[in-house]
Structures are given as C-alpha cells and as structure tokens.
Amino acid sequence: MTAAFVGMIAGMALAFAGFFGGFGAFLLVAALGGLGWAVGHWFDGGGRLQDLRDGYERSRR
C-alpha cells in the first residue's frame, strides 16, 4: 500500500463526517481525498517538509 493510497483513504475518512450533509459533503469528500492523494504522492516521490519551508521562505522575500 503506497503513501498516496493511504493519504487518499485518510482524506476520505476525515471527510466522512460530512457525508450526511448532501452534495456539498460529497464534494468535500472528493476534495479531501484528492488532496490526501496528492500529498501522499508527493511524499512517495521523495518530497520533504524542508522543501515546503524553503519554498515558503523564498516567496516571502
């Protein structure tokens, strides 16, 4: 099981609380699932938290 898959499942599990809210909750589940997949895929590709911090520091200058 890859980190991308685990991230997608985690995003969907977090959004499951909104499941009973109708179509808006469906969109929330899809968005958080996609975000979880993207973060997991980034970590699988060798992404590090240091890269995010460095990018943030560069954008502040």
Side-chain angles (χ1 to χ4, degrees):
M1 196 175 322
T2 67
F5 183 73
V6 172
M8 181 184 68
I9 295 299
M12 291 176 135
L14 288 172
F16 189 76
F19 175 73
F20 296 103
F23 186 68
F26 170 77
L27 292 178
L28 180 66
V29 169
L32 289 178
L35 181 65
W37 176 84
V39 169
H41 188 71
W42 180 66
F43 275 118
D44 276 348
R48 300 176 310 162
L49 292 177
Q50 181 72 28
D51 297 338
L52 292 177
R53 197 190 103 218
D54 291 345
Y56 176 73
E57 290 295 323
R58 270 186 262 133
S59 70
R60 290 184 63 200
R61 295 180 188 169

Short mmCIF file of all heavy atoms in Angstrom, two decimals:
data_model
loop_
_atom_site.label_atom_id
_atom_site.label_comp_id
_atom_site.label_asym_id
_atom_site.label_seq_id
_atom_site.Cartn_x
_atom_site.Cartn_y
_atom_site.Cartn_z
N MET A 1 0.85 -1.17 0.00
CA MET A 1 0.00 0.00 0.00
C MET A 1 0.91 1.24 0.00
O MET A 1 1.73 1.41 0.88
CB MET A 1 -0.88 -0.03 1.26
CG MET A 1 -2.02 0.90 1.14
SD MET A 1 -3.22 0.89 2.49
CE MET A 1 -3.40 -0.76 3.02
N THR A 2 0.74 2.09 -1.00
CA THR A 2 1.59 3.26 -1.12
C THR A 2 1.10 4.39 -0.22
O THR A 2 -0.05 4.38 0.24
CB THR A 2 1.61 3.77 -2.57
OG1 THR A 2 0.31 4.25 -2.90
CG2 THR A 2 2.05 2.69 -3.54
N ALA A 3 1.97 5.36 0.01
CA ALA A 3 1.59 6.51 0.83
C ALA A 3 0.50 7.33 0.14
O ALA A 3 -0.34 7.94 0.81
CB ALA A 3 2.82 7.37 1.11
N ALA A 4 0.48 7.34 -1.19
CA ALA A 4 -0.56 8.07 -1.90
C ALA A 4 -1.93 7.45 -1.61
O ALA A 4 -2.91 8.17 -1.37
CB ALA A 4 -0.28 8.06 -3.40
N PHE A 5 -2.00 6.13 -1.60
CA PHE A 5 -3.26 5.45 -1.33
C PHE A 5 -3.69 5.67 0.12
O PHE A 5 -4.86 5.94 0.40
CB PHE A 5 -3.12 3.96 -1.62
CG PHE A 5 -4.40 3.19 -1.42
CD1 PHE A 5 -5.44 3.32 -2.33
CD2 PHE A 5 -4.56 2.36 -0.33
CE1 PHE A 5 -6.61 2.62 -2.15
CE2 PHE A 5 -5.73 1.66 -0.15
CZ PHE A 5 -6.76 1.79 -1.06
N VAL A 6 -2.76 5.60 1.03
CA VAL A 6 -3.06 5.84 2.44
C VAL A 6 -3.53 7.27 2.65
O VAL A 6 -4.49 7.52 3.39
CB VAL A 6 -1.83 5.53 3.33
CG1 VAL A 6 -2.07 5.95 4.76
CG2 VAL A 6 -1.50 4.05 3.26
N GLY A 7 -2.89 8.22 1.98
CA GLY A 7 -3.31 9.62 2.09
C GLY A 7 -4.71 9.83 1.55
O GLY A 7 -5.50 10.60 2.12
N MET A 8 -5.04 9.16 0.46
CA MET A 8 -6.38 9.27 -0.10
C MET A 8 -7.42 8.71 0.87
O MET A 8 -8.45 9.33 1.11
CB MET A 8 -6.47 8.52 -1.43
CG MET A 8 -7.83 8.63 -2.08
SD MET A 8 -8.00 7.66 -3.59
CE MET A 8 -7.92 6.00 -2.96
N ILE A 9 -7.14 7.58 1.45
CA ILE A 9 -8.06 6.98 2.42
C ILE A 9 -8.21 7.88 3.64
O ILE A 9 -9.31 8.07 4.16
CB ILE A 9 -7.57 5.57 2.82
CG1 ILE A 9 -7.60 4.63 1.62
CG2 ILE A 9 -8.39 5.01 3.96
CD1 ILE A 9 -8.96 4.42 1.00
N ALA A 10 -7.10 8.47 4.11
CA ALA A 10 -7.17 9.36 5.27
C ALA A 10 -8.01 10.59 4.97
O ALA A 10 -8.82 11.02 5.81
CB ALA A 10 -5.76 9.77 5.68
N GLY A 11 -7.85 11.17 3.80
CA GLY A 11 -8.66 12.32 3.43
C GLY A 11 -10.13 11.99 3.35
O GLY A 11 -10.99 12.76 3.80
N MET A 12 -10.45 10.82 2.82
CA MET A 12 -11.85 10.41 2.74
C MET A 12 -12.41 10.11 4.12
O MET A 12 -13.57 10.42 4.40
CB MET A 12 -11.99 9.20 1.82
CG MET A 12 -11.74 9.53 0.38
SD MET A 12 -11.81 8.06 -0.63
CE MET A 12 -12.79 8.66 -1.97
N ALA A 13 -11.60 9.53 4.98
CA ALA A 13 -12.07 9.23 6.33
C ALA A 13 -12.33 10.52 7.11
O ALA A 13 -13.32 10.61 7.86
CB ALA A 13 -11.04 8.37 7.06
N LEU A 14 -11.48 11.52 6.94
CA LEU A 14 -11.70 12.80 7.61
C LEU A 14 -12.97 13.48 7.10
O LEU A 14 -13.69 14.13 7.85
CB LEU A 14 -10.50 13.71 7.40
CG LEU A 14 -9.23 13.34 8.16
CD1 LEU A 14 -8.08 14.21 7.71
CD2 LEU A 14 -9.45 13.43 9.64
N ALA A 15 -13.23 13.33 5.83
CA ALA A 15 -14.41 13.97 5.24
C ALA A 15 -15.69 13.16 5.46
O ALA A 15 -16.78 13.67 5.21
CB ALA A 15 -14.19 14.19 3.76
N PHE A 16 -15.58 11.94 5.94
CA PHE A 16 -16.75 11.08 6.11
C PHE A 16 -17.75 11.69 7.07
O PHE A 16 -18.96 11.45 6.96
CB PHE A 16 -16.32 9.70 6.59
CG PHE A 16 -17.43 8.70 6.57
CD1 PHE A 16 -17.86 8.14 5.39
CD2 PHE A 16 -18.06 8.34 7.74
CE1 PHE A 16 -18.89 7.23 5.35
CE2 PHE A 16 -19.10 7.43 7.73
CZ PHE A 16 -19.51 6.87 6.53
N ALA A 17 -17.29 12.50 8.00
CA ALA A 17 -18.19 13.16 8.95
C ALA A 17 -19.18 14.06 8.21
O ALA A 17 -20.31 14.25 8.65
CB ALA A 17 -17.39 13.97 9.95
N GLY A 18 -18.78 14.59 7.08
CA GLY A 18 -19.68 15.43 6.30
C GLY A 18 -20.53 14.67 5.31
O GLY A 18 -21.29 15.27 4.56
N PHE A 19 -20.44 13.36 5.32
CA PHE A 19 -21.15 12.54 4.35
C PHE A 19 -22.66 12.77 4.39
O PHE A 19 -23.32 12.76 3.36
CB PHE A 19 -20.85 11.06 4.60
CG PHE A 19 -21.63 10.13 3.73
CD1 PHE A 19 -21.32 10.00 2.40
CD2 PHE A 19 -22.67 9.39 4.26
CE1 PHE A 19 -22.04 9.14 1.59
CE2 PHE A 19 -23.39 8.52 3.46
CZ PHE A 19 -23.07 8.40 2.12
N PHE A 20 -23.20 12.98 5.56
CA PHE A 20 -24.64 13.10 5.69
C PHE A 20 -25.14 14.50 5.33
O PHE A 20 -26.32 14.78 5.43
CB PHE A 20 -25.07 12.74 7.11
CG PHE A 20 -24.78 11.30 7.44
CD1 PHE A 20 -23.70 10.97 8.23
CD2 PHE A 20 -25.57 10.29 6.93
CE1 PHE A 20 -23.42 9.65 8.53
CE2 PHE A 20 -25.30 8.97 7.22
CZ PHE A 20 -24.22 8.65 8.02
N GLY A 21 -24.26 15.37 4.86
CA GLY A 21 -24.64 16.72 4.53
C GLY A 21 -25.12 16.93 3.11
O GLY A 21 -25.40 18.04 2.71
N GLY A 22 -25.17 15.90 2.29
CA GLY A 22 -25.68 16.03 0.92
C GLY A 22 -24.56 16.21 -0.09
O GLY A 22 -23.45 15.72 0.07
N PHE A 23 -24.89 16.95 -1.19
CA PHE A 23 -23.96 17.10 -2.30
C PHE A 23 -22.70 17.87 -1.89
O PHE A 23 -21.60 17.57 -2.34
CB PHE A 23 -24.64 17.80 -3.47
CG PHE A 23 -23.78 17.87 -4.69
CD1 PHE A 23 -23.45 16.72 -5.39
CD2 PHE A 23 -23.27 19.09 -5.13
CE1 PHE A 23 -22.65 16.77 -6.52
CE2 PHE A 23 -22.47 19.15 -6.25
CZ PHE A 23 -22.15 17.98 -6.95
N GLY A 24 -22.86 18.87 -1.01
CA GLY A 24 -21.69 19.62 -0.52
C GLY A 24 -20.71 18.70 0.20
O GLY A 24 -19.49 18.83 0.04
N ALA A 25 -21.24 17.77 0.96
CA ALA A 25 -20.38 16.81 1.65
C ALA A 25 -19.69 15.88 0.65
O ALA A 25 -18.53 15.52 0.83
CB ALA A 25 -21.18 16.00 2.65
N PHE A 26 -20.40 15.51 -0.43
CA PHE A 26 -19.78 14.70 -1.46
C PHE A 26 -18.58 15.41 -2.06
O PHE A 26 -17.52 14.82 -2.27
CB PHE A 26 -20.81 14.38 -2.55
CG PHE A 26 -20.20 13.75 -3.78
CD1 PHE A 26 -19.82 12.43 -3.78
CD2 PHE A 26 -19.99 14.51 -4.92
CE1 PHE A 26 -19.26 11.85 -4.90
CE2 PHE A 26 -19.43 13.95 -6.04
CZ PHE A 26 -19.05 12.61 -6.03
N LEU A 27 -18.73 16.71 -2.34
CA LEU A 27 -17.61 17.48 -2.89
C LEU A 27 -16.47 17.58 -1.89
O LEU A 27 -15.29 17.55 -2.27
CB LEU A 27 -18.09 18.87 -3.30
CG LEU A 27 -19.05 18.92 -4.48
CD1 LEU A 27 -19.48 20.36 -4.74
CD2 LEU A 27 -18.43 18.31 -5.72
N LEU A 28 -16.80 17.71 -0.61
CA LEU A 28 -15.79 17.75 0.43
C LEU A 28 -15.00 16.44 0.48
O LEU A 28 -13.77 16.45 0.57
CB LEU A 28 -16.43 18.03 1.79
CG LEU A 28 -15.49 18.11 2.98
CD1 LEU A 28 -14.56 19.32 2.84
CD2 LEU A 28 -16.28 18.20 4.26
N VAL A 29 -15.70 15.31 0.39
CA VAL A 29 -15.03 14.01 0.38
C VAL A 29 -14.10 13.90 -0.82
O VAL A 29 -12.95 13.47 -0.71
CB VAL A 29 -16.07 12.86 0.38
CG1 VAL A 29 -15.41 11.52 0.09
CG2 VAL A 29 -16.81 12.82 1.69
N ALA A 30 -14.57 14.31 -1.99
CA ALA A 30 -13.74 14.24 -3.19
C ALA A 30 -12.53 15.15 -3.09
O ALA A 30 -11.41 14.75 -3.45
CB ALA A 30 -14.58 14.61 -4.41
N ALA A 31 -12.71 16.36 -2.59
CA ALA A 31 -11.60 17.31 -2.49
C ALA A 31 -10.55 16.84 -1.48
O ALA A 31 -9.35 16.87 -1.77
CB ALA A 31 -12.13 18.69 -2.10
N LEU A 32 -10.98 16.41 -0.32
CA LEU A 32 -10.01 15.94 0.68
C LEU A 32 -9.35 14.64 0.27
O LEU A 32 -8.17 14.42 0.56
CB LEU A 32 -10.69 15.80 2.04
CG LEU A 32 -11.06 17.11 2.73
CD1 LEU A 32 -11.77 16.84 4.04
CD2 LEU A 32 -9.86 17.99 2.93
N GLY A 33 -10.09 13.78 -0.43
CA GLY A 33 -9.48 12.55 -0.95
C GLY A 33 -8.40 12.87 -1.98
O GLY A 33 -7.31 12.29 -1.97
N GLY A 34 -8.69 13.82 -2.87
CA GLY A 34 -7.70 14.24 -3.86
C GLY A 34 -6.50 14.92 -3.22
O GLY A 34 -5.35 14.68 -3.63
N LEU A 35 -6.74 15.74 -2.22
CA LEU A 35 -5.63 16.40 -1.53
C LEU A 35 -4.76 15.38 -0.80
O LEU A 35 -3.52 15.45 -0.86
CB LEU A 35 -6.18 17.42 -0.53
CG LEU A 35 -5.15 18.21 0.26
CD1 LEU A 35 -4.32 19.09 -0.67
CD2 LEU A 35 -5.84 19.05 1.31
N GLY A 36 -5.39 14.42 -0.16
CA GLY A 36 -4.63 13.35 0.51
C GLY A 36 -3.81 12.54 -0.46
O GLY A 36 -2.66 12.18 -0.19
N TRP A 37 -4.40 12.25 -1.63
CA TRP A 37 -3.65 11.51 -2.65
C TRP A 37 -2.45 12.31 -3.12
O TRP A 37 -1.36 11.77 -3.28
CB TRP A 37 -4.56 11.19 -3.83
CG TRP A 37 -3.80 10.51 -4.93
CD1 TRP A 37 -3.52 9.19 -5.03
CD2 TRP A 37 -3.19 11.17 -6.04
NE1 TRP A 37 -2.77 8.97 -6.16
CE2 TRP A 37 -2.55 10.17 -6.80
CE3 TRP A 37 -3.12 12.47 -6.48
CZ2 TRP A 37 -1.86 10.46 -7.96
CZ3 TRP A 37 -2.42 12.75 -7.64
CH2 TRP A 37 -1.80 11.75 -8.36
N ALA A 38 -2.65 13.61 -3.36
CA ALA A 38 -1.56 14.45 -3.86
C ALA A 38 -0.42 14.55 -2.86
O ALA A 38 0.76 14.44 -3.23
CB ALA A 38 -2.09 15.84 -4.20
N VAL A 39 -0.73 14.71 -1.60
CA VAL A 39 0.31 14.79 -0.56
C VAL A 39 1.04 13.46 -0.45
O VAL A 39 2.28 13.42 -0.38
CB VAL A 39 -0.30 15.22 0.79
CG1 VAL A 39 0.69 15.04 1.93
CG2 VAL A 39 -0.78 16.66 0.71
N GLY A 40 0.30 12.35 -0.46
CA GLY A 40 0.94 11.04 -0.40
C GLY A 40 1.81 10.77 -1.61
O GLY A 40 2.91 10.22 -1.48
N HIS A 41 1.35 11.18 -2.77
CA HIS A 41 2.14 11.01 -4.00
C HIS A 41 3.42 11.84 -3.94
O HIS A 41 4.48 11.40 -4.37
CB HIS A 41 1.29 11.38 -5.21
CG HIS A 41 1.91 11.06 -6.51
ND1 HIS A 41 2.04 9.76 -6.96
CD2 HIS A 41 2.43 11.84 -7.48
CE1 HIS A 41 2.63 9.78 -8.14
NE2 HIS A 41 2.87 11.03 -8.48
N TRP A 42 3.31 13.03 -3.39
CA TRP A 42 4.49 13.90 -3.25
C TRP A 42 5.52 13.27 -2.32
O TRP A 42 6.70 13.26 -2.60
CB TRP A 42 4.05 15.27 -2.73
CG TRP A 42 5.16 16.24 -2.56
CD1 TRP A 42 5.94 16.79 -3.53
CD2 TRP A 42 5.65 16.77 -1.33
NE1 TRP A 42 6.85 17.64 -2.98
CE2 TRP A 42 6.70 17.65 -1.63
CE3 TRP A 42 5.28 16.60 0.00
CZ2 TRP A 42 7.39 18.34 -0.65
CZ3 TRP A 42 5.96 17.28 0.97
CH2 TRP A 42 7.00 18.13 0.63
N PHE A 43 5.04 12.69 -1.19
CA PHE A 43 5.97 12.02 -0.27
C PHE A 43 6.58 10.78 -0.91
O PHE A 43 7.75 10.49 -0.68
CB PHE A 43 5.27 11.64 1.04
CG PHE A 43 5.24 12.75 2.05
CD1 PHE A 43 4.04 13.27 2.48
CD2 PHE A 43 6.41 13.28 2.55
CE1 PHE A 43 4.00 14.29 3.41
CE2 PHE A 43 6.39 14.30 3.47
CZ PHE A 43 5.18 14.81 3.91
N ASP A 44 5.82 10.04 -1.71
CA ASP A 44 6.36 8.87 -2.41
C ASP A 44 7.47 9.28 -3.37
O ASP A 44 8.41 8.53 -3.59
CB ASP A 44 5.28 8.15 -3.20
CG ASP A 44 4.47 7.18 -2.36
OD1 ASP A 44 4.90 6.89 -1.23
OD2 ASP A 44 3.42 6.74 -2.85
N GLY A 45 7.36 10.46 -3.94
CA GLY A 45 8.36 10.94 -4.89
C GLY A 45 9.59 11.54 -4.23
O GLY A 45 10.44 12.10 -4.91
N GLY A 46 9.70 11.45 -2.93
CA GLY A 46 10.88 11.95 -2.24
C GLY A 46 10.70 13.35 -1.68
O GLY A 46 11.68 13.99 -1.29
N GLY A 47 9.48 13.83 -1.63
CA GLY A 47 9.21 15.15 -1.07
C GLY A 47 9.53 15.20 0.42
O GLY A 47 9.39 14.21 1.13
N ARG A 48 10.01 16.36 0.85
CA ARG A 48 10.33 16.55 2.27
C ARG A 48 9.65 17.81 2.76
O ARG A 48 9.37 18.73 2.00
CB ARG A 48 11.83 16.70 2.46
CG ARG A 48 12.64 15.52 2.00
CD ARG A 48 14.12 15.79 2.14
NE ARG A 48 14.42 17.10 1.53
CZ ARG A 48 15.52 17.81 1.77
NH1 ARG A 48 16.42 17.35 2.56
NH2 ARG A 48 15.71 18.98 1.18
N LEU A 49 9.39 17.87 4.06
CA LEU A 49 8.80 19.07 4.66
C LEU A 49 9.74 20.26 4.52
O LEU A 49 9.30 21.40 4.41
CB LEU A 49 8.46 18.82 6.12
CG LEU A 49 7.33 17.83 6.36
CD1 LEU A 49 7.12 17.61 7.84
CD2 LEU A 49 6.05 18.30 5.72
N GLN A 50 11.03 20.01 4.50
CA GLN A 50 12.02 21.08 4.35
C GLN A 50 11.82 21.81 3.02
O GLN A 50 11.98 23.02 2.94
CB GLN A 50 13.44 20.48 4.40
CG GLN A 50 14.55 21.50 4.28
CD GLN A 50 14.68 22.35 5.52
OE1 GLN A 50 14.35 21.92 6.61
NE2 GLN A 50 15.16 23.56 5.36
N ASP A 51 11.42 21.08 1.98
CA ASP A 51 11.15 21.70 0.68
C ASP A 51 10.02 22.71 0.77
O ASP A 51 10.07 23.78 0.16
CB ASP A 51 10.80 20.64 -0.36
CG ASP A 51 11.93 19.66 -0.62
OD1 ASP A 51 13.10 20.02 -0.34
OD2 ASP A 51 11.64 18.54 -1.09
N LEU A 52 8.98 22.37 1.51
CA LEU A 52 7.85 23.30 1.68
C LEU A 52 8.28 24.56 2.41
O LEU A 52 7.91 25.67 2.04
CB LEU A 52 6.71 22.62 2.43
CG LEU A 52 6.00 21.50 1.71
CD1 LEU A 52 4.96 20.88 2.62
CD2 LEU A 52 5.36 22.00 0.45
N ARG A 53 9.05 24.39 3.47
CA ARG A 53 9.52 25.54 4.25
C ARG A 53 10.41 26.44 3.40
O ARG A 53 10.29 27.66 3.44
CB ARG A 53 10.26 25.08 5.50
CG ARG A 53 10.38 26.22 6.52
CD ARG A 53 11.31 25.88 7.65
NE ARG A 53 12.52 26.64 7.33
CZ ARG A 53 13.73 26.22 7.52
NH1 ARG A 53 13.97 25.06 8.03
NH2 ARG A 53 14.76 26.97 7.20
N ASP A 54 11.30 25.83 2.64
CA ASP A 54 12.18 26.62 1.78
C ASP A 54 11.39 27.40 0.74
O ASP A 54 11.68 28.56 0.47
CB ASP A 54 13.20 25.72 1.10
CG ASP A 54 14.23 25.13 2.06
OD1 ASP A 54 14.33 25.65 3.20
OD2 ASP A 54 14.90 24.17 1.66
N GLY A 55 10.38 26.78 0.15
CA GLY A 55 9.54 27.46 -0.82
C GLY A 55 8.78 28.62 -0.20
O GLY A 55 8.63 29.68 -0.79
N TYR A 56 8.32 28.43 1.02
CA TYR A 56 7.60 29.50 1.73
C TYR A 56 8.54 30.66 2.03
O TYR A 56 8.18 31.83 1.84
CB TYR A 56 7.00 28.95 3.02
CG TYR A 56 6.32 30.01 3.85
CD1 TYR A 56 5.11 30.55 3.46
CD2 TYR A 56 6.91 30.46 5.03
CE1 TYR A 56 4.49 31.52 4.22
CE2 TYR A 56 6.30 31.44 5.79
CZ TYR A 56 5.08 31.97 5.38
OH TYR A 56 4.49 32.93 6.13
N GLU A 57 9.74 30.36 2.46
CA GLU A 57 10.71 31.41 2.77
C GLU A 57 11.09 32.20 1.50
O GLU A 57 11.25 33.40 1.55
CB GLU A 57 11.96 30.82 3.41
CG GLU A 57 11.74 30.30 4.81
CD GLU A 57 11.40 31.39 5.79
OE1 GLU A 57 11.93 32.50 5.68
OE2 GLU A 57 10.56 31.12 6.68
N ARG A 58 11.24 31.52 0.38
CA ARG A 58 11.56 32.20 -0.87
C ARG A 58 10.44 33.12 -1.32
O ARG A 58 10.69 34.20 -1.86
CB ARG A 58 11.87 31.18 -1.97
CG ARG A 58 13.34 30.82 -2.03
CD ARG A 58 13.64 29.92 -3.21
NE ARG A 58 13.66 28.58 -2.65
CZ ARG A 58 13.05 27.53 -3.16
NH1 ARG A 58 12.39 27.62 -4.28
NH2 ARG A 58 13.10 26.36 -2.58
N SER A 59 9.19 32.70 -1.10
CA SER A 59 8.07 33.52 -1.54
C SER A 59 7.87 34.75 -0.67
O SER A 59 7.25 35.73 -1.10
CB SER A 59 6.79 32.69 -1.57
OG SER A 59 6.38 32.38 -0.26
N ARG A 60 8.38 34.75 0.54
CA ARG A 60 8.24 35.89 1.43
C ARG A 60 9.21 37.01 1.08
O ARG A 60 9.02 38.14 1.50
CB ARG A 60 8.46 35.45 2.88
CG ARG A 60 7.34 34.58 3.40
CD ARG A 60 7.51 34.23 4.83
NE ARG A 60 7.47 35.44 5.64
CZ ARG A 60 7.96 35.53 6.86
NH1 ARG A 60 8.55 34.50 7.41
NH2 ARG A 60 7.87 36.65 7.53
N ARG A 61 10.24 36.71 0.34
CA ARG A 61 11.26 37.71 0.02
C ARG A 61 10.86 38.56 -1.14
O ARG A 61 10.14 38.36 -1.97
CB ARG A 61 12.61 37.05 -0.28
CG ARG A 61 13.14 36.37 0.93
CD ARG A 61 14.46 35.74 0.62
NE ARG A 61 14.84 34.91 1.77
CZ ARG A 61 15.80 34.09 1.77
NH1 ARG A 61 16.54 33.91 0.71
NH2 ARG A 61 16.09 33.40 2.82
#
